[in-house]
Amino acid sequence: MLLPAKAEVARQLRRYRAWERVMLAAPNDRTVRTTFEDSGYTLCVLMGKRCAREAADAAERYLRTNQLAYLQEQQVTCLQEQNERPRPATAVRRRPPTAERRYPAGR
């Protein structure tokens, strides 16, 4: 797994937190909200998360730990998430009713 440079993660996390404060001060300003959402999206892409809050938490954990510990933590988390997902029911393959079956010519 490739990990981003810690300096870039720290820079994007600072940017996200700064725009979060501005957005909380002026929640009706569309420009501020858009920039805040853009900074959250960038953090999500950088950290490989789907939610900006998760990405911010992951960035903080990543900056606190060394890279090997972070990778091991991510692997454990991924395995736990896989175990929590509902398993799909086994698919039953059904054929179309006999009246609708089509055979090649000559059969």
Side-chain angles (χ1 to χ4, degrees):
M1 175 179 182
L2 293 176
L3 293 174
K6 285 195 172 193
E8 183 63 21
V9 172
R11 187 174 77 80
Q12 291 298 331
L13 183 61
R14 281 192 309 271
R15 181 175 182 259
Y16 173 78
R17 294 295 185 202
W19 280 108
E20 182 180 39
R21 287 189 298 274
V22 173
M23 202 271 310
L24 289 173
N28 295 328
D29 187 345
R30 286 181 183 245
T31 305
V32 170
R33 181 173 292 275
T34 301
T35 308
F36 169 66
E37 289 173 355
D38 287 347
S39 67
Y41 176 78
T42 302
L43 201 57
C44 286
V45 170
L46 198 59
M47 298 309 298
K49 299 293 181 181
R50 294 183 179 181
C51 170
R53 287 182 188 216
E54 288 178 8
D57 291 342
E60 289 171 350
R61 280 193 312 274
Y62 177 59
L63 293 172
R64 277 195 309 262
T65 62
N66 65 20
Q67 291 179 355
L68 182 59
Y70 180 78
L71 282 173
Q72 289 171 344
E73 179 182 309
Q74 291 303 306
Q75 186 177 21
V76 168
T77 303
C78 183
L79 291 174
Q80 288 172 345
E81 287 174 356
Q82 286 178 353
N83 289 336
E84 292 172 1
R85 292 182 185 157
R87 300 198 184 269
T90 55
V92 177
R93 297 193 77 179
R94 295 188 180 165
R95 302 181 103 180
T98 51
E100 293 180 17
R101 285 191 199 154
R102 297 180 186 219
Y103 294 99
R107 284 193 158 180

